[in-house]
Amino acid sequence: MLKLPPPPVNNPLNNNTIKPGPVSKQTTVINNGSEIKCSIIVHNENDDDANQTMLVVVVPVEVSILSNPSNAIISKAGGTSPFAGYLTFNLDNMYVGQNITVEFTFTKSKYGNKVGAYAFSASPDPNPANNYKDATY
């Protein structure tokens, strides 16, 4: 796992990247004031294709998704809440060594500063421990 050093205190743009290693992810969250841009790279590290690959991204409490990717379903935090709880991306089938990048923007939460991403597929996974990563903004 790779962790970047903290940005300088006077830098208004914060970057935190966590990169692991069948499906691994790199999650980057960029804090730019009241909007947060999240970019996740899912990589098929296995020696077989990953079939029916899905990515679930949990966002902090009380955020709204500002950009809705076409391959994502936004699930609400619960009940009649107007806020997002998580996004589910359908990545379909991934070839060996393939990368798929998903990006979305959301409002900054006053209650949390972490995004978690979990990728999985219908194919056997010899190392499921590398399927979850998170990033703090």
Side-chain angles (χ1 to χ4, degrees):
M1 177 167 46
L2 169 68
K3 292 184 182 178
L4 294 179
V9 175
N10 61 355
N11 184 353
L13 188 64
N14 295 323
N15 288 312
N16 291 315
T17 301
I18 299 172
K19 182 178 181 181
V23 181
S24 66
K25 293 154 304 313
Q26 174 176 327
T27 304
T28 304
V29 178
I30 299 175
N31 179 351
N32 192 8
S34 63
E35 294 183 4
I36 309 296
K37 180 179 180 184
C38 184
S39 178
I40 301 169
I41 300 171
V42 181
H43 175 74
N44 182 1
E45 195 171 86
N46 200 355
D47 57 358
D48 290 319
D49 292 347
N51 297 311
Q52 302 171 6
T53 307
M54 303 294 285
L55 174 69
V56 177
V57 180
V58 179
V59 294
V61 176
E62 292 194 7
V63 303
S64 295
I65 305 301
L66 301 175
S67 62
N68 185 6
S70 62
N71 65 337
I73 297 171
I74 299 172
S75 299
K76 299 295 182 181
T80 59
S81 173
F83 301 110
Y86 61 93
L87 292 90
T88 304
F89 291 87
N90 181 354
L91 305 181
D92 205 20
N93 298 329
M94 293 183 68
Y95 301 107
V96 174
Q98 181 180 7
N99 290 325
I100 295 177
T101 302
V102 298
E103 294 183 332
F104 62 97
T105 304
F106 60 94
T107 58
K108 189 173 185 177
S109 171
K110 60 183 176 182
Y111 301 108
N113 64 347
K114 185 183 285 189
V115 174
Y118 178 73
F120 60 95
S121 75
S123 302
D125 188 347
N127 185 16
N130 71 353
N131 291 1
Y132 176 82
K133 294 296 169 194
D134 56 38
T136 304
Y137 58 89

